[in-house]
Amino acid sequence: SNVLEHISYPLPLLKECCRVLKSRGVILGVVPFLAAGHQRPHDYNRYTDFMLKILLSDSGFQEIEISALGKPADVYQKMQKTFFRQLFKTKFSQNSLAHYFKYALVKGAWHLSKLMNLVFKRVFSNGGATPAYTEGFGFTGIKF
């Protein structure tokens, strides 16, 4: 779970996973997609569902299934938190125009984000996970 993005050359690792599994053995994993880099400098890849399918297939796995994990609203909320966290860390002189702009922006953006969260919840009320805007992917493959 959340390891593959830390492997600079994942194909040899996946081939080895396939080799050591017994017949009908299953690989199960999760990778981030729209997520901040972490464990720097050893965070090398973000995989699309298309690339995961190619890697798993080229490694010898069959019956590959890939699922989006997280809705666009989840991605939006994480990016919003990151934005505000960075904005609050920025130091400006108390009397500077930037200082007043920062707090006006924060107030306005906070109210807009609450509205956007409501909109996302209504628009994506059917589950809403989509490969285009997802936090990550879950995947399985079977060795035959």
Side-chain angles (χ1 to χ4, degrees):
S1 176
N2 291 298
V3 171
L4 205 55
E5 72 272 16
H6 300 289
I7 307 300
S8 55
Y9 299 101
L11 190 57
L13 172 70
L14 290 169
K15 283 183 176 183
E16 182 65 5
C17 289
C18 191
R19 186 188 73 77
V20 299
L21 277 172
K22 292 181 179 180
S23 182
R24 303 285 303 161
V26 177
I27 189 169
L28 171 69
V30 175
V31 294
F33 182 59
L34 293 176
H38 56 282
Q39 294 182 0
R40 294 176 173 275
H42 305 289
D43 189 357
Y44 305 112
N45 299 295
R46 292 295 181 269
Y47 300 98
T48 63
D49 47 337
F50 307 111
M51 189 64 197
L52 280 171
K53 187 161 185 131
I54 288 169
L55 284 170
L56 291 166
S57 178
D58 287 355
S59 299
F61 290 101
Q62 298 175 25
E63 294 186 22
I64 298 163
E65 292 186 24
I66 299 168
S67 302
L69 304 173
K71 303 176 274 300
D74 300 324
V75 173
Y76 172 76
Q77 286 176 338
K78 278 201 171 177
M79 289 185 175
Q80 169 190 315
K81 284 179 185 175
T82 301
F83 170 77
F84 282 114
R85 194 173 299 124
Q86 288 302 114
L87 188 59
F88 282 126
K89 285 181 183 177
T90 307
K91 302 286 186 211
F92 297 109
S93 167
Q94 288 288 79
N95 296 327
S96 71
L97 184 60
H99 171 77
Y100 294 112
F101 178 73
K102 172 183 164 181
Y103 285 100
L105 179 65
V106 167
K107 276 214 176 269
W110 185 254
H111 291 296
L112 178 62
S113 69
K114 285 185 171 218
L115 176 64
M116 290 303 293
N117 286 336
L118 289 172
V119 169
F120 274 126
K121 285 179 182 173
R122 295 218 185 249
V123 170
F124 298 107
S125 60
N126 62 346
T130 170
Y133 297 100
T134 184
E135 290 184 88
F137 293 99
F139 62 87
T140 61
I142 300 174
K143 175 187 176 177
F144 283 93

